[in-house]
Amino acid sequence: MPATNKSSPTHRRAWLELIRLRELPAVIADPLAGAVIAGATWRQAHMVVLVMLASAMLWAGAAALGDWANLSRDRTRRPSRPLPSRRINRWHAMIAGLALLAASVSVADSASQTATRVTFVMIAVVGLGRFLLHEVPIAFPLEGAFRALNLLLGMVLVPIVASPAHIGVRIYLMITIGLYATGLTLLLEPDVHRYRSSRLITIAPLIVLPGLMIVALPLICSAAAVSFMGLLWAGLALAGVGYCLTQAILAPAGRTVLRAIDVTALGAVLLNSAAAAYMRHPAASILLAASLVPAVWVMWHTSRASQDASSTNSSNT
């Protein structure tokens, strides 16, 4: 296979694919949501930006190292990925991944010492899920735990004693996002296009249940209140995700499953927005929901780039 020009658009796209740029906007919305839910103010805006940056670096570094560790498996299951297709050198990916993880710790430390501790725990969870235990089913809930800790990364910026989100609320919301992310991870498995409807039916409750848990937040937590904005965001998430999952179950083809994956990833942003609104931050929930704009743009742009690359490869064959 000819070497890829390191300055070419194809090479740059390969790196963006390696760090999972497609999923990044929804991931970095987690610490922002956590900070808003915990009651962060504009005075802490710089700290929120720092933990969002740390989250982005950690996610990108973990993705690169995960592909490095799973190269032999990806050669048969995901041959089009940057490493098995040799668009990126395996050792370059490892160096970049380690550098990004180290940078994430440094950036988190600039926000707060507690955020640094959470970052170290997140790195440990990534190490277990993507290196040591990636061949066993526990890897799926570990991915969910990563997203739960990502939400906590923003929450810890506001001490519990000064926050309306007491420890019970924080644990409840972490469990919610963890379950949701576990279901999304199952959808992302490479064998998903060969799933039968029965398999998708078993995954769907892990995605729908957390949405219902968010809707029920005001009934469970005295610090939360029924909010029209919260109902709007949660309703939009459940409607969109439910519709796309139903389509995938009725016709489990590649296109319907991929659409369900994309909408489910975006649904996490709306559920976080709903939680913020229920915790008496309706204006901030609009800011959270607005993060869907770059998320949708990145998904559209990466999809278009992939289609262009496929068309180029087909014409060159």
Side-chain angles (χ1 to χ4, degrees):
M1 181 178 291
T4 302
N5 184 350
K6 293 183 179 181
S7 62
S8 68
T10 301
H11 188 70
R12 289 194 294 270
R13 282 198 298 266
W15 276 101
L16 295 178
E17 183 182 343
L18 180 71
I19 65 172
R20 307 295 193 275
L21 177 68
R22 186 181 183 87
E23 302 159 23
L24 201 56
V27 170
I28 63 175
D30 288 342
L32 173 60
V36 169
I37 290 166
T41 65
W42 286 108
R43 294 179 181 178
Q44 296 160 298
H46 67 290
M47 298 170 65
V48 176
V49 172
L50 286 171
V51 294
M52 291 175 68
L53 181 59
S55 173
M57 291 176 170
L58 204 163
W59 178 262
L65 288 174
D67 279 11
W68 173 82
N70 298 315
L71 177 58
S72 59
R73 184 179 66 169
D74 284 347
R75 283 194 177 109
T76 56
R77 302 182 71 187
R78 297 171 169 129
S80 63
R81 279 192 168 177
L83 299 190
S85 64
R86 297 184 182 180
R87 287 177 289 155
I88 295 176
N89 182 281
R90 180 188 184 189
W91 300 104
H92 292 171
M94 183 195 72
I95 293 169
L98 290 173
L100 284 166
L101 290 188
S104 71
V105 174
S106 178
V107 172
D109 191 55
S110 300
S112 76
Q113 291 185 348
T114 308
T116 307
R117 297 188 190 101
V118 174
T119 302
F120 275 121
V121 176
M122 292 172 72
I123 292 174
V125 168
V126 164
L128 287 173
R130 301 193 182 183
F131 291 86
L132 298 179
L133 304 174
H134 64 276
E135 297 287 354
V136 296
I138 197 175
F140 299 114
L142 283 173
E143 289 293 327
F146 177 90
R147 290 292 295 271
L149 289 166
N150 201 31
L151 187 69
L152 180 64
L153 187 62
M155 288 181 175
V156 297
L157 297 180
V158 182
I160 292 176
V161 294
S163 171
H166 54 73
I167 190 168
V169 174
R170 298 184 183 202
I171 292 174
Y172 183 85
L173 291 176
M174 287 175 65
I175 291 173
T176 299
I177 193 67
L179 287 173
Y180 192 90
T182 300
L184 176 58
T185 304
L186 287 167
L187 279 180
L188 285 166
E189 272 298 279
D191 293 333
V192 74
H193 304 299
R194 295 190 290 274
Y195 280 169
R196 296 182 181 275
S197 297
S198 58
R199 185 69 183 274
L200 290 168
I201 289 172
T202 62
I203 297 173
L206 282 174
I207 298 171
V208 175
L209 176 62
L212 298 177
M213 291 173 66
I214 291 293
V215 173
L217 184 62
L219 303 177
I220 296 170
C221 173
S222 59
V226 176
S227 163
F228 168 76
M229 199 71 70
L231 289 171
L232 174 63
W233 302 137
L236 287 174
L238 287 170
V241 172
Y243 174 76
C244 290
L245 283 175
T246 300
Q247 278 194 321
I249 289 169
L250 294 176
R255 180 175 296 180
T256 58
V257 174
L258 287 173
R259 187 184 299 117
I261 290 171
D262 286 345
V263 174
T264 300
L266 297 174
V269 178
L270 285 176
L271 291 180
N272 281 333
S273 303
Y278 285 134
M279 293 303 295
R280 307 173 194 271
H281 304 295
S285 76
I286 298 175
L287 174 64
L288 280 170
S291 64
L292 281 175
V293 176
V296 171
W297 183 86
V298 167
M299 284 186 174
W300 174 81
H301 183 73
T302 53
S303 295
R304 185 176 180 183
S306 298
Q307 291 171 0
D308 291 344
S310 299
S311 299
T312 301
N313 291 336
S314 299
S315 61
N316 291 336
T317 301

